[in-house]
């Protein structure tokens, strides 16, 4: 492994604050990579939580059908009523129902998701939450979710979807450097 690959691996390991999943009241999967949603659905089907909330970003509705879920909870209808630049949704699934809710889209996406989900979760009666994202994304996710939920009393567990990045490749290194810059910006802005 080259020096820059080794440094990227070390930064990646620092950013990955993921823990093993454990039973909770709800699973929340951040928008972004489809693999996040697939992993969250798998955890939900294995019974880690009775509720699952998928965050669906601007164009992600196009791949929702590939997830193999029985219903979109009205996602297809909702996206028709909202201009593309304002599209962001939470799709909540439990054993009986699926419901799609549009959310406010903000400039800092991860921060917006945390704040919007903190508001949204008040109606869910949850005490524990599994939050699923990519390993490289989790330290920033943990930062904003802890701030958004600081007065809620809800126990947060951050879970990394499985992945094996190749740090000999430029894309894996670029994603890592991009994420450490975003994390430092979020820390500096103190949100």
């Amino acid at each position: 492994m080259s020096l820059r690959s080794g440094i990227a691996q070390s930064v990646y390991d620092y950013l990955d604050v993921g823990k093993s999943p454990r039973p909770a009241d709800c699973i929340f999967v951040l928008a972004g990579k489809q693999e996040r949603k697939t992993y969250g659905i798998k955890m939900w089907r294995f019974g880690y939580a009775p509720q699952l909330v998928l965050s669906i970003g601007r164009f992600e509705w196009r791949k929702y059908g590939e997830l193999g879920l029985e219903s979109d909870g009205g996602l297809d209808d909702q996206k028709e009523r909202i201009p593309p630049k304002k599209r962001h949704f939470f799709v909540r699934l439990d054993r009986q129902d699926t419901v799609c809710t549009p959310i406010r889209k903000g400039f800092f996406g991860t921060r917006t998701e945390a704040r919007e989900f903190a508001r949204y979760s008040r109606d869910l009666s949850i005490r524990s939450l599994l939050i699923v994202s990519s390993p490289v994304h989790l330290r920033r996710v943990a930062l904003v979710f802890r701030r958004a939920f600081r007065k809620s009393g809800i126990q947060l567990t951050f879970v990394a979807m499985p992945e094996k990045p190749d740090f000999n490749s430029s894309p894996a290194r670029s994603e890592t450097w991009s994420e450490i810059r975003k994390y430092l910006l979020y820390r500096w802005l103190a949100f």
Side-chain angles (χ1 to χ4, degrees):
M1 182 180 282
S2 72
L3 179 60
R4 65 183 176 170
S5 297
I7 293 169
Q9 172 78 60
S10 294
V11 172
Y12 177 93
D13 291 343
Y14 170 75
L15 292 170
D16 179 4
V17 295
K19 305 288 183 205
S20 297
R22 57 182 169 205
D25 295 321
C26 184
I27 300 167
F28 178 76
V29 182
L30 279 102
K33 296 180 179 179
Q34 187 79 342
E35 296 87 358
R36 294 176 187 170
K37 293 172 186 59
T38 302
Y39 186 62
I41 292 167
K42 183 177 177 183
M43 289 171 49
W44 178 62
R45 288 184 172 150
F46 279 158
Y48 279 101
Q51 298 179 76
L52 169 69
V53 178
L54 302 172
S55 184
I56 308 292
R58 181 177 178 180
F59 296 112
E60 293 176 19
W61 60 268
R62 294 177 181 163
K63 291 187 175 185
Y64 187 89
E66 297 172 13
L67 296 173
L69 297 166
E70 291 181 26
S71 171
D72 71 0
L75 174 64
D76 199 43
D77 293 334
Q78 293 275 1
K79 63 119 171 107
E80 293 299 330
R81 290 183 244 153
I82 297 173
K85 288 185 178 182
K86 294 187 176 192
R87 287 182 187 155
H88 201 129
F89 309 93
F90 289 159
V91 177
R92 186 183 64 78
L93 303 97
D94 61 27
R95 303 295 177 213
Q96 293 82 34
D97 202 9
T98 303
V99 178
C100 175
T101 304
I103 66 162
R104 183 184 63 83
K105 190 171 182 324
F107 183 73
F108 292 98
T110 302
R111 176 183 179 231
T112 299
E113 282 178 278
R115 288 182 166 187
E116 288 296 306
F117 191 70
R119 277 192 274 278
Y120 181 85
S121 67
R122 290 179 194 145
D123 296 331
L124 299 181
S125 300
I126 61 174
R127 294 174 313 227
S128 56
L129 177 63
L130 299 177
I131 301 162
V132 178
S133 193
S134 306
V136 73
H137 188 215
L138 274 181
R139 187 168 288 272
R140 182 162 53 104
V141 168
L143 177 71
V144 295
F145 270 80
R146 285 181 181 131
R147 288 177 179 163
F149 281 83
R150 69 179 157 254
K151 296 178 182 176
S152 71
I154 295 173
Q155 178 186 1
L156 306 177
T157 302
F158 302 95
V159 179
M161 68 169 207
E163 70 175 14
K164 296 280 186 203
D166 176 10
F167 292 103
N168 291 315
S169 75
S170 181
R173 290 190 308 268
S174 294
E175 181 182 21
T176 301
W177 299 131
S178 173
E179 186 57 41
I180 193 68
R181 285 190 297 271
K182 290 177 188 176
Y183 170 70
L184 293 172
L185 175 65
Y186 273 49
R187 288 275 314 243
W188 182 68
L189 293 173
F191 56 65

